[in-house]
Amino acid sequence: MSSSQGSKMCCPQARRHARSRRRLLVLLLPVWFGWSAETARAEEKYELPGAVSPRATASRRIERADPHGRLDASITLGVRQQDELEALLAAQQQPGLPQYHRWLSPQEFAERFAPPAEQYEALAQWLEHQGFAVQRWENRLRVDFSGTVGRLERTFGVRMNYYRHASRTDVANENAPLLPIEFADSVEFMRLNTFPLAKPLVRVLTASGAV
């Protein structure tokens, strides 16, 4: 038998072995790298709408923010039973009703209207795992966190810039942040900027002057 005939006979078998090795490699990759369906879903993210400040889009962008600078940020979660909450708020202002001026404690409010405790804690722990310093609130409607600008950019896939706004320089995100899909039903808003909050409509006067 010539060498060329032998190589032709061996080629189909060699190709089968090569295909088997490729299939084995594909099967072993998730094991080697710790991949799983749960891991893939945990890494799936969505874009949070409404998290880019209108002040950023209306202000003059100066340059990219210092990645080593620190920023205080927050995430606001949505309430449950919105209709029931609105009815309670109206009843608390109506003289003669049993609920009149009967205010809820933070714990009572959280029990009735806040996201479940395990959902809130999952968000807080996820932020901690990303390296942020986290502050929790009893009403479970907000999580405050802080970290470097660079960490914010890496975690949420945003670009942070300096903006010139109303004679001051502020830091803000240019694009919408990305969050794990597991928080899509609970997170309502995220603040990633240093723009001043809205000015109060009422000023309280004291003996020493306005507060």
Side-chain angles (χ1 to χ4, degrees):
M1 181 183 295
S2 65
S3 60
S4 61
Q5 289 175 325
S7 61
K8 289 180 181 177
M9 293 180 64
C10 291
C11 281
Q13 184 176 6
R15 286 196 293 270
R16 286 196 296 272
H17 287 318
R19 286 196 296 269
S20 297
R21 286 195 296 270
R22 286 196 295 269
R23 285 196 294 269
L24 181 61
L25 179 62
V26 171
L27 291 173
L28 287 177
L29 276 174
V31 177
W32 289 340
F33 291 100
W35 295 347
S36 65
E38 292 77 9
T39 302
R41 178 165 176 80
E43 294 175 350
E44 186 180 356
K45 294 188 176 182
Y46 75 102
E47 190 175 272
L48 180 65
V52 177
S53 173
R55 298 182 186 182
T57 56
S59 302
R60 180 172 64 88
R61 185 178 64 190
I62 302 175
E63 61 182 348
R64 191 159 191 171
D66 179 5
H68 303 292
R70 295 191 65 84
L71 186 73
D72 294 330
S74 65
I75 292 178
T76 301
L77 293 85
V79 299
R80 296 182 298 163
Q81 314 294 343
Q82 181 69 46
D83 292 343
E84 181 182 339
L85 176 59
E86 291 178 359
L88 173 63
L89 293 175
Q92 287 176 332
Q93 303 300 326
Q94 185 64 41
L97 293 181
Q99 298 91 340
Y100 180 64
H101 282 191
R102 295 188 62 180
W103 317 119
L104 300 180
S105 68
Q107 297 86 351
E108 291 173 328
F109 180 92
E111 184 66 26
R112 294 177 60 178
F113 303 112
E118 59 272 15
Q119 200 172 55
Y120 181 86
E121 187 59 26
L123 174 61
Q125 289 186 7
W126 177 78
L127 289 168
E128 288 176 333
H129 291 162
Q130 307 312 307
F132 296 107
V134 174
Q135 179 182 354
R136 296 162 172 81
W137 293 86
E138 284 185 300
N139 62 16
R140 298 204 302 268
L141 288 184
R142 198 174 90 178
V143 181
D144 291 342
F145 60 101
S146 62
T148 65
V149 167
R151 188 175 298 277
L152 288 168
E153 290 185 321
R154 292 190 300 272
T155 302
F156 301 108
V158 294
R159 178 188 172 103
M160 304 295 293
N161 299 317
Y162 292 121
Y163 292 90
R164 190 65 177 172
H165 173 76
S167 72
R168 53 176 283 164
T169 301
D170 288 292
V171 179
N173 53 308
E174 177 181 299
N175 55 303
L178 301 175
L179 283 170
I181 196 69
E182 64 181 293
F183 304 129
D185 293 333
S186 56
V187 172
E188 187 171 274
F189 180 74
M190 178 184 291
R191 175 178 166 84
L192 292 175
N193 62 75
T194 62
F195 292 121
L197 298 175
K199 295 181 179 179
L201 298 178
V202 178
R203 302 184 69 189
V204 178
L205 296 178
T206 65
S208 58
V211 175

